[in-house]
Each structure stands twice: as C-alpha cells, then as structure tokens.
PDB file of all heavy atoms in Angstrom:
ATOM      1  N   LYS A   1      99.842 -11.243  38.870  1.00  0.00           N
ATOM      2  CA  LYS A   1      98.778 -10.812  37.967  1.00  0.00           C
ATOM      3  C   LYS A   1      97.667 -11.847  37.971  1.00  0.00           C
ATOM      4  O   LYS A   1      97.875 -13.007  37.617  1.00  0.00           O
ATOM      5  CB  LYS A   1      99.336 -10.635  36.546  1.00  0.00           C
ATOM      6  CG  LYS A   1     100.344  -9.500  36.430  1.00  0.00           C
ATOM      7  CD  LYS A   1     100.851  -9.353  35.008  1.00  0.00           C
ATOM      8  CE  LYS A   1     101.860  -8.216  34.891  1.00  0.00           C
ATOM      9  NZ  LYS A   1     102.388  -8.088  33.526  1.00  0.00           N
ATOM     10  N   ARG A   2      96.501 -11.415  38.363  1.00  0.00           N
ATOM     11  CA  ARG A   2      95.372 -12.324  38.503  1.00  0.00           C
ATOM     12  C   ARG A   2      94.971 -12.894  37.143  1.00  0.00           C
ATOM     13  O   ARG A   2      94.815 -12.175  36.167  1.00  0.00           O
ATOM     14  CB  ARG A   2      94.196 -11.572  39.140  1.00  0.00           C
ATOM     15  CG  ARG A   2      93.007 -12.451  39.452  1.00  0.00           C
ATOM     16  CD  ARG A   2      92.043 -11.716  40.358  1.00  0.00           C
ATOM     17  NE  ARG A   2      90.866 -12.530  40.631  1.00  0.00           N
ATOM     18  CZ  ARG A   2      89.710 -12.387  40.019  1.00  0.00           C
ATOM     19  NH1 ARG A   2      89.568 -11.454  39.092  1.00  0.00           N
ATOM     20  NH2 ARG A   2      88.690 -13.160  40.327  1.00  0.00           N
ATOM     21  N   GLY A   3      94.841 -14.234  37.096  1.00  0.00           N
ATOM     22  CA  GLY A   3      94.341 -14.897  35.902  1.00  0.00           C
ATOM     23  C   GLY A   3      95.362 -15.112  34.809  1.00  0.00           C
ATOM     24  O   GLY A   3      95.020 -15.612  33.746  1.00  0.00           O
ATOM     25  N   ASN A   4      96.640 -14.756  35.049  1.00  0.00           N
ATOM     26  CA  ASN A   4      97.665 -14.894  34.022  1.00  0.00           C
ATOM     27  C   ASN A   4      98.570 -16.077  34.389  1.00  0.00           C
ATOM     28  O   ASN A   4      99.528 -15.926  35.145  1.00  0.00           O
ATOM     29  CB  ASN A   4      98.462 -13.590  33.913  1.00  0.00           C
ATOM     30  CG  ASN A   4      99.405 -13.598  32.718  1.00  0.00           C
ATOM     31  OD1 ASN A   4      99.923 -14.642  32.318  1.00  0.00           O
ATOM     32  ND2 ASN A   4      99.647 -12.420  32.161  1.00  0.00           N
ATOM     33  N   TYR A   5      98.258 -17.245  33.864  1.00  0.00           N
ATOM     34  CA  TYR A   5      98.991 -18.459  34.236  1.00  0.00           C
ATOM     35  C   TYR A   5     100.454 -18.384  33.803  1.00  0.00           C
ATOM     36  O   TYR A   5     101.352 -18.781  34.559  1.00  0.00           O
ATOM     37  CB  TYR A   5      98.323 -19.692  33.623  1.00  0.00           C
ATOM     38  CG  TYR A   5      98.877 -20.999  34.128  1.00  0.00           C
ATOM     39  CD1 TYR A   5      98.352 -21.601  35.264  1.00  0.00           C
ATOM     40  CD2 TYR A   5      99.936 -21.632  33.481  1.00  0.00           C
ATOM     41  CE1 TYR A   5      98.850 -22.800  35.745  1.00  0.00           C
ATOM     42  CE2 TYR A   5     100.454 -22.830  33.949  1.00  0.00           C
ATOM     43  CZ  TYR A   5      99.912 -23.408  35.083  1.00  0.00           C
ATOM     44  OH  TYR A   5     100.431 -24.590  35.554  1.00  0.00           O
ATOM     45  N   ALA A   6     100.705 -17.884  32.599  1.00  0.00           N
ATOM     46  CA  ALA A   6     102.079 -17.812  32.100  1.00  0.00           C
ATOM     47  C   ALA A   6     102.940 -16.923  32.986  1.00  0.00           C
ATOM     48  O   ALA A   6     104.110 -17.233  33.253  1.00  0.00           O
ATOM     49  CB  ALA A   6     102.083 -17.293  30.662  1.00  0.00           C
ATOM     50  N   PHE A   7     102.360 -15.814  33.453  1.00  0.00           N
ATOM     51  CA  PHE A   7     103.093 -14.915  34.338  1.00  0.00           C
ATOM     52  C   PHE A   7     103.438 -15.628  35.653  1.00  0.00           C
ATOM     53  O   PHE A   7     104.575 -15.567  36.129  1.00  0.00           O
ATOM     54  CB  PHE A   7     102.261 -13.667  34.635  1.00  0.00           C
ATOM     55  CG  PHE A   7     102.862 -12.757  35.667  1.00  0.00           C
ATOM     56  CD1 PHE A   7     103.830 -11.827  35.325  1.00  0.00           C
ATOM     57  CD2 PHE A   7     102.468 -12.836  37.000  1.00  0.00           C
ATOM     58  CE1 PHE A   7     104.395 -10.990  36.278  1.00  0.00           C
ATOM     59  CE2 PHE A   7     103.022 -12.010  37.962  1.00  0.00           C
ATOM     60  CZ  PHE A   7     103.987 -11.088  37.599  1.00  0.00           C
ATOM     61  N   VAL A   8     102.452 -16.311  36.225  1.00  0.00           N
ATOM     62  CA  VAL A   8     102.682 -17.014  37.487  1.00  0.00           C
ATOM     63  C   VAL A   8     103.738 -18.109  37.301  1.00  0.00           C
ATOM     64  O   VAL A   8     104.642 -18.276  38.133  1.00  0.00           O
ATOM     65  CB  VAL A   8     101.362 -17.615  38.023  1.00  0.00           C
ATOM     66  CG1 VAL A   8     101.620 -18.540  39.210  1.00  0.00           C
ATOM     67  CG2 VAL A   8     100.409 -16.495  38.426  1.00  0.00           C
ATOM     68  N   GLN A   9     103.663 -18.825  36.201  1.00  0.00           N
ATOM     69  CA  GLN A   9     104.638 -19.880  35.918  1.00  0.00           C
ATOM     70  C   GLN A   9     106.059 -19.310  35.843  1.00  0.00           C
ATOM     71  O   GLN A   9     107.008 -19.869  36.404  1.00  0.00           O
ATOM     72  CB  GLN A   9     104.271 -20.559  34.594  1.00  0.00           C
ATOM     73  CG  GLN A   9     105.113 -21.783  34.264  1.00  0.00           C
ATOM     74  CD  GLN A   9     104.599 -22.473  33.016  1.00  0.00           C
ATOM     75  OE1 GLN A   9     104.103 -21.829  32.076  1.00  0.00           O
ATOM     76  NE2 GLN A   9     104.681 -23.791  32.979  1.00  0.00           N
ATOM     77  N   GLU A  10     106.184 -18.167  35.175  1.00  0.00           N
ATOM     78  CA  GLU A  10     107.487 -17.520  35.048  1.00  0.00           C
ATOM     79  C   GLU A  10     108.018 -17.062  36.405  1.00  0.00           C
ATOM     80  O   GLU A  10     109.190 -17.234  36.737  1.00  0.00           O
ATOM     81  CB  GLU A  10     107.374 -16.315  34.114  1.00  0.00           C
ATOM     82  CG  GLU A  10     108.664 -15.513  33.979  1.00  0.00           C
ATOM     83  CD  GLU A  10     108.438 -14.214  33.234  1.00  0.00           C
ATOM     84  OE1 GLU A  10     107.396 -14.087  32.553  1.00  0.00           O
ATOM     85  OE2 GLU A  10     109.297 -13.324  33.340  1.00  0.00           O
ATOM     86  N   ARG A  11     107.136 -16.478  37.216  1.00  0.00           N
ATOM     87  CA  ARG A  11     107.562 -15.954  38.519  1.00  0.00           C
ATOM     88  C   ARG A  11     107.913 -17.066  39.504  1.00  0.00           C
ATOM     89  O   ARG A  11     108.828 -16.927  40.294  1.00  0.00           O
ATOM     90  CB  ARG A  11     106.464 -15.068  39.123  1.00  0.00           C
ATOM     91  CG  ARG A  11     106.182 -13.790  38.361  1.00  0.00           C
ATOM     92  CD  ARG A  11     107.431 -12.919  38.222  1.00  0.00           C
ATOM     93  NE  ARG A  11     108.147 -13.173  36.990  1.00  0.00           N
ATOM     94  CZ  ARG A  11     109.355 -12.715  36.710  1.00  0.00           C
ATOM     95  NH1 ARG A  11     110.014 -11.961  37.577  1.00  0.00           N
ATOM     96  NH2 ARG A  11     109.925 -12.988  35.567  1.00  0.00           N
ATOM     97  N   VAL A  12     107.177 -18.178  39.455  1.00  0.00           N
ATOM     98  CA  VAL A  12     107.506 -19.303  40.337  1.00  0.00           C
ATOM     99  C   VAL A  12     108.860 -19.891  39.942  1.00  0.00           C
ATOM    100  O   VAL A  12     109.704 -20.196  40.798  1.00  0.00           O
ATOM    101  CB  VAL A  12     106.406 -20.380  40.295  1.00  0.00           C
ATOM    102  CG1 VAL A  12     106.834 -21.623  41.077  1.00  0.00           C
ATOM    103  CG2 VAL A  12     105.109 -19.838  40.884  1.00  0.00           C
ATOM    104  N   ALA A  13     109.097 -20.028  38.641  1.00  0.00           N
ATOM    105  CA  ALA A  13     110.391 -20.526  38.170  1.00  0.00           C
ATOM    106  C   ALA A  13     111.530 -19.597  38.587  1.00  0.00           C
ATOM    107  O   ALA A  13     112.653 -20.043  38.851  1.00  0.00           O
ATOM    108  CB  ALA A  13     110.359 -20.685  36.645  1.00  0.00           C
ATOM    109  N   TYR A  14     111.243 -18.311  38.680  1.00  0.00           N
ATOM    110  CA  TYR A  14     112.225 -17.296  39.079  1.00  0.00           C
ATOM    111  C   TYR A  14     112.760 -17.559  40.486  1.00  0.00           C
ATOM    112  O   TYR A  14     113.848 -17.133  40.844  1.00  0.00           O
ATOM    113  CB  TYR A  14     111.527 -15.939  39.013  1.00  0.00           C
ATOM    114  CG  TYR A  14     112.334 -14.710  39.335  1.00  0.00           C
ATOM    115  CD1 TYR A  14     113.154 -14.127  38.378  1.00  0.00           C
ATOM    116  CD2 TYR A  14     112.234 -14.094  40.583  1.00  0.00           C
ATOM    117  CE1 TYR A  14     113.864 -12.967  38.656  1.00  0.00           C
ATOM    118  CE2 TYR A  14     112.936 -12.947  40.869  1.00  0.00           C
ATOM    119  CZ  TYR A  14     113.753 -12.378  39.910  1.00  0.00           C
ATOM    120  OH  TYR A  14     114.447 -11.231  40.189  1.00  0.00           O
ATOM    121  N   THR A  15     111.998 -18.299  41.280  1.00  0.00           N
ATOM    122  CA  THR A  15     112.397 -18.605  42.653  1.00  0.00           C
ATOM    123  C   THR A  15     113.585 -19.563  42.699  1.00  0.00           C
ATOM    124  O   THR A  15     114.358 -19.548  43.655  1.00  0.00           O
ATOM    125  CB  THR A  15     111.201 -19.242  43.410  1.00  0.00           C
ATOM    126  OG1 THR A  15     110.096 -18.345  43.352  1.00  0.00           O
ATOM    127  CG2 THR A  15     111.539 -19.521  44.855  1.00  0.00           C
ATOM    128  N   PHE A  16     113.740 -20.375  41.658  1.00  0.00           N
ATOM    129  CA  PHE A  16     114.721 -21.452  41.691  1.00  0.00           C
ATOM    130  C   PHE A  16     115.829 -21.255  40.656  1.00  0.00           C
ATOM    131  O   PHE A  16     115.619 -20.623  39.618  1.00  0.00           O
ATOM    132  CB  PHE A  16     114.028 -22.797  41.444  1.00  0.00           C
ATOM    133  CG  PHE A  16     112.888 -23.070  42.393  1.00  0.00           C
ATOM    134  CD1 PHE A  16     111.575 -22.913  41.973  1.00  0.00           C
ATOM    135  CD2 PHE A  16     113.134 -23.470  43.691  1.00  0.00           C
ATOM    136  CE1 PHE A  16     110.522 -23.163  42.836  1.00  0.00           C
ATOM    137  CE2 PHE A  16     112.087 -23.721  44.565  1.00  0.00           C
ATOM    138  CZ  PHE A  16     110.781 -23.559  44.148  1.00  0.00           C
ATOM    139  N   TYR A  17     116.988 -21.842  40.934  1.00  0.00           N
ATOM    140  CA  TYR A  17     118.059 -21.882  39.938  1.00  0.00           C
ATOM    141  C   TYR A  17     117.661 -22.822  38.803  1.00  0.00           C
ATOM    142  O   TYR A  17     117.845 -22.507  37.626  1.00  0.00           O
ATOM    143  CB  TYR A  17     119.353 -22.358  40.596  1.00  0.00           C
ATOM    144  CG  TYR A  17     120.472 -22.633  39.612  1.00  0.00           C
ATOM    145  CD1 TYR A  17     121.186 -21.584  39.038  1.00  0.00           C
ATOM    146  CD2 TYR A  17     120.793 -23.945  39.244  1.00  0.00           C
ATOM    147  CE1 TYR A  17     122.205 -21.834  38.123  1.00  0.00           C
ATOM    148  CE2 TYR A  17     121.811 -24.198  38.338  1.00  0.00           C
ATOM    149  CZ  TYR A  17     122.517 -23.140  37.775  1.00  0.00           C
ATOM    150  OH  TYR A  17     123.514 -23.389  36.876  1.00  0.00           O
ATOM    151  N   ASP A  18     117.120 -23.977  39.166  1.00  0.00           N
ATOM    152  CA  ASP A  18     116.671 -24.961  38.185  1.00  0.00           C
ATOM    153  C   ASP A  18     115.167 -24.801  37.999  1.00  0.00           C
ATOM    154  O   ASP A  18     114.379 -25.158  38.884  1.00  0.00           O
ATOM    155  CB  ASP A  18     116.994 -26.372  38.684  1.00  0.00           C
ATOM    156  CG  ASP A  18     116.537 -27.465  37.730  1.00  0.00           C
ATOM    157  OD1 ASP A  18     115.979 -27.122  36.664  1.00  0.00           O
ATOM    158  OD2 ASP A  18     116.723 -28.650  38.056  1.00  0.00           O
ATOM    159  N   PRO A  19     114.709 -24.271  36.868  1.00  0.00           N
ATOM    160  CA  PRO A  19     113.275 -24.025  36.662  1.00  0.00           C
ATOM    161  C   PRO A  19     112.419 -25.276  36.765  1.00  0.00           C
ATOM    162  O   PRO A  19     111.221 -25.185  37.035  1.00  0.00           O
ATOM    163  CB  PRO A  19     113.216 -23.445  35.236  1.00  0.00           C
ATOM    164  CG  PRO A  19     114.587 -22.940  34.968  1.00  0.00           C
ATOM    165  CD  PRO A  19     115.518 -23.846  35.718  1.00  0.00           C
ATOM    166  N   SER A  20     113.020 -26.461  36.580  1.00  0.00           N
ATOM    167  CA  SER A  20     112.234 -27.691  36.645  1.00  0.00           C
ATOM    168  C   SER A  20     111.714 -27.963  38.057  1.00  0.00           C
ATOM    169  O   SER A  20     110.776 -28.762  38.233  1.00  0.00           O
ATOM    170  CB  SER A  20     113.061 -28.890  36.166  1.00  0.00           C
ATOM    171  OG  SER A  20     114.094 -29.196  37.081  1.00  0.00           O
ATOM    172  N   VAL A  21     112.297 -27.306  39.067  1.00  0.00           N
ATOM    173  CA  VAL A  21     111.800 -27.455  40.441  1.00  0.00           C
ATOM    174  C   VAL A  21     110.402 -26.842  40.550  1.00  0.00           C
ATOM    175  O   VAL A  21     109.596 -27.241  41.395  1.00  0.00           O
ATOM    176  CB  VAL A  21     112.764 -26.800  41.449  1.00  0.00           C
ATOM    177  CG1 VAL A  21     112.240 -26.925  42.878  1.00  0.00           C
ATOM    178  CG2 VAL A  21     114.149 -27.439  41.345  1.00  0.00           C
ATOM    179  N   ALA A  22     110.114 -25.877  39.672  1.00  0.00           N
ATOM    180  CA  ALA A  22     108.780 -25.261  39.647  1.00  0.00           C
ATOM    181  C   ALA A  22     107.829 -26.182  38.901  1.00  0.00           C
ATOM    182  O   ALA A  22     107.463 -25.961  37.742  1.00  0.00           O
ATOM    183  CB  ALA A  22     108.845 -23.893  38.976  1.00  0.00           C
ATOM    184  N   THR A  23     107.409 -27.247  39.562  1.00  0.00           N
ATOM    185  CA  THR A  23     106.547 -28.251  38.954  1.00  0.00           C
ATOM    186  C   THR A  23     105.174 -27.664  38.634  1.00  0.00           C
ATOM    187  O   THR A  23     104.775 -26.626  39.176  1.00  0.00           O
ATOM    188  CB  THR A  23     106.371 -29.443  39.909  1.00  0.00           C
ATOM    189  OG1 THR A  23     105.737 -28.969  41.114  1.00  0.00           O
ATOM    190  CG2 THR A  23     107.712 -30.071  40.248  1.00  0.00           C
ATOM    191  N   LYS A  24     104.453 -28.354  37.774  1.00  0.00           N
ATOM    192  CA  LYS A  24     103.094 -27.906  37.441  1.00  0.00           C
ATOM    193  C   LYS A  24     102.223 -27.859  38.688  1.00  0.00           C
ATOM    194  O   LYS A  24     101.402 -26.940  38.849  1.00  0.00           O
ATOM    195  CB  LYS A  24     102.474 -28.833  36.396  1.00  0.00           C
ATOM    196  CG  LYS A  24     101.084 -28.366  35.926  1.00  0.00           C
ATOM    197  CD  LYS A  24     100.503 -29.284  34.878  1.00  0.00           C
ATOM    198  CE  LYS A  24      99.191 -28.729  34.334  1.00  0.00           C
ATOM    199  NZ  LYS A  24      98.175 -28.499  35.386  1.00  0.00           N
ATOM    200  N   GLU A  25     102.409 -28.828  39.578  1.00  0.00           N
ATOM    201  CA  GLU A  25     101.628 -28.843  40.823  1.00  0.00           C
ATOM    202  C   GLU A  25     101.883 -27.579  41.634  1.00  0.00           C
ATOM    203  O   GLU A  25     100.947 -26.963  42.164  1.00  0.00           O
ATOM    204  CB  GLU A  25     101.999 -30.082  41.639  1.00  0.00           C
ATOM    205  CG  GLU A  25     101.224 -30.200  42.942  1.00  0.00           C
ATOM    206  CD  GLU A  25     101.649 -31.418  43.746  1.00  0.00           C
ATOM    207  OE1 GLU A  25     102.750 -31.966  43.478  1.00  0.00           O
ATOM    208  OE2 GLU A  25     100.896 -31.821  44.640  1.00  0.00           O
ATOM    209  N   LEU A  26     103.156 -27.169  41.715  1.00  0.00           N
ATOM    210  CA  LEU A  26     103.506 -25.967  42.466  1.00  0.00           C
ATOM    211  C   LEU A  26     102.960 -24.715  41.786  1.00  0.00           C
ATOM    212  O   LEU A  26     102.399 -23.826  42.438  1.00  0.00           O
ATOM    213  CB  LEU A  26     105.030 -25.868  42.607  1.00  0.00           C
ATOM    214  CG  LEU A  26     105.576 -24.728  43.449  1.00  0.00           C
ATOM    215  CD1 LEU A  26     105.049 -24.799  44.881  1.00  0.00           C
ATOM    216  CD2 LEU A  26     107.107 -24.772  43.459  1.00  0.00           C
ATOM    217  N   VAL A  27     103.106 -24.642  40.474  1.00  0.00           N
ATOM    218  CA  VAL A  27     102.589 -23.492  39.729  1.00  0.00           C
ATOM    219  C   VAL A  27     101.073 -23.404  39.853  1.00  0.00           C
ATOM    220  O   VAL A  27     100.511 -22.318  40.069  1.00  0.00           O
ATOM    221  CB  VAL A  27     103.007 -23.564  38.242  1.00  0.00           C
ATOM    222  CG1 VAL A  27     102.347 -22.439  37.438  1.00  0.00           C
ATOM    223  CG2 VAL A  27     104.522 -23.484  38.105  1.00  0.00           C
ATOM    224  N   ASP A  28     100.398 -24.536  39.743  1.00  0.00           N
ATOM    225  CA  ASP A  28      98.934 -24.556  39.879  1.00  0.00           C
ATOM    226  C   ASP A  28      98.503 -24.047  41.249  1.00  0.00           C
ATOM    227  O   ASP A  28      97.514 -23.312  41.371  1.00  0.00           O
ATOM    228  CB  ASP A  28      98.397 -25.976  39.680  1.00  0.00           C
ATOM    229  CG  ASP A  28      98.452 -26.431  38.226  1.00  0.00           C
ATOM    230  OD1 ASP A  28      98.697 -25.586  37.343  1.00  0.00           O
ATOM    231  OD2 ASP A  28      98.255 -27.644  37.977  1.00  0.00           O
ATOM    232  N   GLU A  29      99.253 -24.447  42.277  1.00  0.00           N
ATOM    233  CA  GLU A  29      98.916 -24.017  43.643  1.00  0.00           C
ATOM    234  C   GLU A  29      99.002 -22.502  43.770  1.00  0.00           C
ATOM    235  O   GLU A  29      98.102 -21.861  44.313  1.00  0.00           O
ATOM    236  CB  GLU A  29      99.865 -24.703  44.629  1.00  0.00           C
ATOM    237  CG  GLU A  29      99.562 -24.428  46.084  1.00  0.00           C
ATOM    238  CD  GLU A  29     100.478 -25.191  47.013  1.00  0.00           C
ATOM    239  OE1 GLU A  29     101.061 -26.213  46.591  1.00  0.00           O
ATOM    240  OE2 GLU A  29     100.630 -24.763  48.171  1.00  0.00           O
ATOM    241  N   VAL A  30     100.093 -21.919  43.252  1.00  0.00           N
ATOM    242  CA  VAL A  30     100.262 -20.468  43.329  1.00  0.00           C
ATOM    243  C   VAL A  30      99.227 -19.767  42.452  1.00  0.00           C
ATOM    244  O   VAL A  30      98.666 -18.732  42.833  1.00  0.00           O
ATOM    245  CB  VAL A  30     101.698 -20.059  42.925  1.00  0.00           C
ATOM    246  CG1 VAL A  30     101.841 -18.541  42.890  1.00  0.00           C
ATOM    247  CG2 VAL A  30     102.713 -20.658  43.885  1.00  0.00           C
ATOM    248  N   PHE A  31      98.956 -20.330  41.261  1.00  0.00           N
ATOM    249  CA  PHE A  31      97.964 -19.727  40.356  1.00  0.00           C
ATOM    250  C   PHE A  31      96.589 -19.661  41.025  1.00  0.00           C
ATOM    251  O   PHE A  31      95.892 -18.647  40.937  1.00  0.00           O
ATOM    252  CB  PHE A  31      97.880 -20.531  39.056  1.00  0.00           C
ATOM    253  CG  PHE A  31      96.850 -20.011  38.096  1.00  0.00           C
ATOM    254  CD1 PHE A  31      97.060 -18.846  37.384  1.00  0.00           C
ATOM    255  CD2 PHE A  31      95.644 -20.696  37.915  1.00  0.00           C
ATOM    256  CE1 PHE A  31      96.102 -18.361  36.500  1.00  0.00           C
ATOM    257  CE2 PHE A  31      94.687 -20.228  37.038  1.00  0.00           C
ATOM    258  CZ  PHE A  31      94.914 -19.048  36.334  1.00  0.00           C
ATOM    259  N   ASN A  32      96.211 -20.732  41.691  1.00  0.00           N
ATOM    260  CA  ASN A  32      94.908 -20.753  42.360  1.00  0.00           C
ATOM    261  C   ASN A  32      94.830 -19.696  43.454  1.00  0.00           C
ATOM    262  O   ASN A  32      93.780 -19.084  43.674  1.00  0.00           O
ATOM    263  CB  ASN A  32      94.643 -22.139  42.944  1.00  0.00           C
ATOM    264  CG  ASN A  32      94.370 -23.178  41.870  1.00  0.00           C
ATOM    265  OD1 ASN A  32      93.925 -22.840  40.776  1.00  0.00           O
ATOM    266  ND2 ASN A  32      94.651 -24.433  42.160  1.00  0.00           N
ATOM    267  N   VAL A  33      95.950 -19.479  44.128  1.00  0.00           N
ATOM    268  CA  VAL A  33      95.996 -18.439  45.165  1.00  0.00           C
ATOM    269  C   VAL A  33      95.832 -17.057  44.539  1.00  0.00           C
ATOM    270  O   VAL A  33      95.012 -16.240  44.972  1.00  0.00           O
ATOM    271  CB  VAL A  33      97.318 -18.514  45.955  1.00  0.00           C
ATOM    272  CG1 VAL A  33      97.501 -17.267  46.813  1.00  0.00           C
ATOM    273  CG2 VAL A  33      97.342 -19.758  46.821  1.00  0.00           C
ATOM    274  N   THR A  34      96.596 -16.789  43.484  1.00  0.00           N
ATOM    275  CA  THR A  34      96.585 -15.461  42.877  1.00  0.00           C
ATOM    276  C   THR A  34      95.300 -15.188  42.097  1.00  0.00           C
ATOM    277  O   THR A  34      95.044 -14.055  41.709  1.00  0.00           O
ATOM    278  CB  THR A  34      97.789 -15.272  41.932  1.00  0.00           C
ATOM    279  OG1 THR A  34      97.729 -16.235  40.869  1.00  0.00           O
ATOM    280  CG2 THR A  34      99.104 -15.433  42.684  1.00  0.00           C
TER     281      THR A  34
END
C-alpha cells in the first residue's frame, strides 16, 4: 500500500520469524520503493 508506513513495517516483519530482523533501515528501504 503506497504511503502506508505501518503496513509496510508489518509486511516486512512478516518475512521473518524474529520481527527484530526487520530493522528500521530495511523497512525504510522497502517503504521508499513502495
């Protein structure tokens, strides 16, 4: 979903067993793409 940071953060965390692997840097990268 374009422009929805919380959604992107949730979906990136969904990739991992440990949500902490979805660092802010990683979430920011995906958010900028979307």
Side-chain angles (χ1 to χ4, degrees):
K1 294 181 180 178
R2 185 167 178 260
N4 189 328
Y5 189 89
F7 173 83
V8 171
Q9 187 174 34
E10 176 189 343
R11 294 302 93 191
V12 173
Y14 182 82
T15 303
F16 305 103
Y17 171 77
D18 179 1
S20 69
V21 179
T23 62
K24 184 179 185 303
E25 181 182 18
L26 184 59
V27 174
D28 287 348
E29 184 177 338
V30 175
F31 178 74
N32 289 335
V33 168
T34 61

